[in-house]
Amino acid sequence: MFNQIILLCRPGFEKECAGEIMEFSSQHAFPGYIQTSDASGYVSLVSSAEQNTAELITQIDFRQLIFTRQWFACDKEKLALPESNRLPDILNTIKSFDETFCDVELAYADTNEGKSLSKFCKQFKPHLLGALKKNNLLSAHSRWRLQLFFTDSLHVNIGIAPVDNSAADSMGIIRLKMPGAAPSRSTLKMEEAIHWFLSGNQQNELIKNGMTVVDLGAAPGGWTWQFVKRDCLVTAIDNGPMQAALMQSGMVEHLQTDAFTYTPKKKVDWLICDMAERPLHVSRLIARWFTNQQCSNAIFNLKLPMKKRLAMVHECIELLHQSLTAASIEHTIQAKHLYHDREEITVCITTKTTIHR
């Protein structure tokens, strides 16, 4: 039985990650308390009544956690390892789980100290995989992934995560390469958002050749570029200049006008927006586009305040949900603090008419 859940997050957002998991654990009447420290890059939810956290981790929908990148159930006590031949102690602990695993993930906190473990984990993983295979502990049909979380090379938490209710990518980080032709690094935010919020089938269905997009606050075109490369027609709204090469594609119309007053001539497939404005101000703007029947879907960023960030996120999402519901628009709202986000979260809204187009 496991008595702890470890949740990985962006350093500096431990409070939001902790507040969120406590909200969900309370909804499931799970008695627990938080252990964390500032800028550590992870949070621990510990059972205060010795209840099994492996059950809780299957009951809470992982995709509803905005500030958690990856999570797993484990024992609250770290396993202390010898300086040499660490494998036997780790293997004995794994055998005690009486379970098989589809895969294994070796993780560490996304901090400078944590990243120093990257080389160690890469070198150690093949040895661990070999031992797991030799002991028949790997099965492609298992619903569990084995998780090892190293705080240093001599201390590890060993646990499990449900494959269908955790991040598919190691440590919850989608690895992307900066496209050389893209106008800015912000393009990675949009690429990550598309991969996170939309399945492969949804991407093929919802972002097609000839679809129309409005990009509010577009310059120099990092977000526009992602839709142009997917053969969409983009109207870029910004007083600043767009990348010349992007404009030469012939698929972008650049209007130097106010993003808060611009209205399209007809309904567009996508509204995208990455502006340094107050989150409630942006949320009201996005809500108006939907309720005025000016867009079918949207991806946008909400820049968070320094304090009460989780409360602000709840307020913005509730505003959007209430506005679309009042307008009888069937919708899905997803939000995530993506790896390429900093002091903001990314939100995706899709409507039923487009999901089943």
Side-chain angles (χ1 to χ4, degrees):
M1 187 182 78
F2 300 110
N3 55 13
Q4 176 182 230
I5 295 175
I6 289 181
L7 308 98
L8 306 186
C9 64
R10 185 181 183 88
F13 285 82
E14 295 79 15
K15 182 179 179 181
E16 290 71 29
C17 180
E20 204 170 38
I21 191 60
M22 285 300 291
E23 289 176 358
F24 281 102
S25 61
S26 295
Q27 291 173 13
H28 288 79
F30 186 90
Y33 59 91
I34 293 294
Q35 289 184 333
T36 189
S37 56
D38 292 343
S40 63
Y42 68 98
V43 169
S44 298
L45 171 68
V46 182
S47 171
S48 56
E50 294 303 313
Q51 291 192 21
N52 192 351
T53 53
E55 294 181 10
L56 182 64
I57 207 171
T58 62
Q59 295 168 351
I60 299 172
D61 182 0
F62 175 76
R63 294 191 69 86
Q64 291 187 19
L65 297 173
I66 298 172
F67 292 96
T68 298
R69 291 179 177 173
Q70 184 63 291
W71 68 348
F72 58 95
C74 63
D75 189 85
K76 64 182 178 181
E77 300 299 329
K78 292 184 178 70
L79 177 63
L81 302 171
E83 291 192 13
S84 59
N85 201 16
R86 300 173 176 86
L87 196 53
D89 288 353
I90 291 176
L91 196 59
N92 285 337
T93 299
I94 296 170
K95 287 179 178 178
S96 71
F97 296 168
D98 194 26
E99 185 63 74
T100 58
F101 309 96
C102 71
D103 196 7
V104 58
E105 179 178 315
L106 277 63
Y108 44 86
D110 186 26
T111 61
N112 290 334
E113 183 180 12
K115 290 173 184 175
S116 66
L117 294 165
S118 175
K119 183 178 180 181
F120 163 77
C121 288
K122 287 179 181 178
Q123 292 176 341
F124 186 69
K125 185 174 181 177
H127 299 288
L128 178 58
L129 279 171
L132 294 173
K133 291 177 182 177
K134 185 177 180 180
N135 286 271
N136 299 315
L137 293 171
L138 291 180
S139 170
H141 304 291
S142 175
R143 61 188 287 250
W144 297 104
R145 182 194 306 110
L146 181 65
Q147 295 277 165
L148 276 70
F149 178 67
F150 288 90
T151 48
D152 58 54
S153 61
L154 299 179
H155 295 88
V156 63
N157 289 99
I158 306 177
I160 59 175
V163 176
D164 61 354
N165 197 38
S166 60
D169 296 276
S170 178
M171 296 168 54
I173 300 173
I174 299 175
R175 266 65 181 184
L176 301 172
K177 291 185 178 180
M178 176 63 191
S184 66
R185 290 195 63 82
S186 70
T187 198
L188 296 175
K189 291 184 188 180
M190 177 53 71
E191 185 174 4
E192 184 183 4
I194 290 171
H195 287 301
W196 174 258
F197 294 123
L198 304 177
S199 67
N201 288 336
Q202 286 177 316
Q203 289 178 41
N204 293 333
E205 185 68 19
L206 299 182
I207 310 178
K208 292 181 184 178
N209 180 6
M211 282 190 166
T212 53
V213 182
V214 168
D215 185 353
L216 301 180
W223 284 28
T224 291
W225 188 87
Q226 287 292 331
F227 281 85
V228 166
K229 84 168 187 174
R230 291 170 170 83
D231 300 317
C232 296
L233 302 172
V234 182
T235 301
I237 310 299
D238 203 306
N239 286 316
M242 297 290 287
Q243 183 200 53
L246 185 59
M247 295 305 300
Q248 290 171 4
S249 68
M251 301 180 72
V252 182
E253 179 185 14
H254 180 201
L255 300 180
Q256 293 180 304
T257 187
D258 186 351
F260 282 92
T261 59
Y262 168 79
T263 57
K265 295 179 181 178
K266 61 180 181 178
K267 188 175 184 178
V268 298
D269 294 293
W270 283 94
L271 172 66
I272 58 177
C273 175
D274 184 23
M275 297 190 294
E277 298 285 347
R278 291 172 296 168
L280 279 172
H281 201 27
V282 172
S283 297
R284 293 187 187 103
L285 173 65
I286 301 297
R288 287 200 302 273
W289 273 71
F290 278 98
T291 56
N292 291 339
Q293 298 292 313
Q294 293 170 333
C295 68
S296 297
N297 311 287
I299 295 177
F300 54 97
N301 272 356
L302 296 177
K303 312 297 180 182
L304 300 180
M306 293 299 293
K307 298 180 180 179
K308 298 182 178 180
R309 295 184 290 204
L310 184 57
M312 178 57 67
V313 168
H314 287 333
E315 186 175 357
C316 289
I317 291 177
E318 184 61 21
L319 182 155
L320 290 159
H321 175 65
Q322 289 186 359
S323 297
L324 271 66
T325 300
S328 299
I329 300 172
E330 294 190 55
H331 62 279
T332 299
I333 300 178
Q334 302 177 77
K336 195 70 178 178
H337 191 207
L338 299 172
Y339 176 72
H340 290 95
D341 285 336
R342 293 185 181 274
E343 301 294 324
E344 71 261 336
I345 63 166
T346 302
V347 183
C348 176
I349 302 178
T350 51
T351 60
K352 186 174 182 179
T353 53
T354 56
I355 292 174
H356 300 290
R357 177 182 289 175

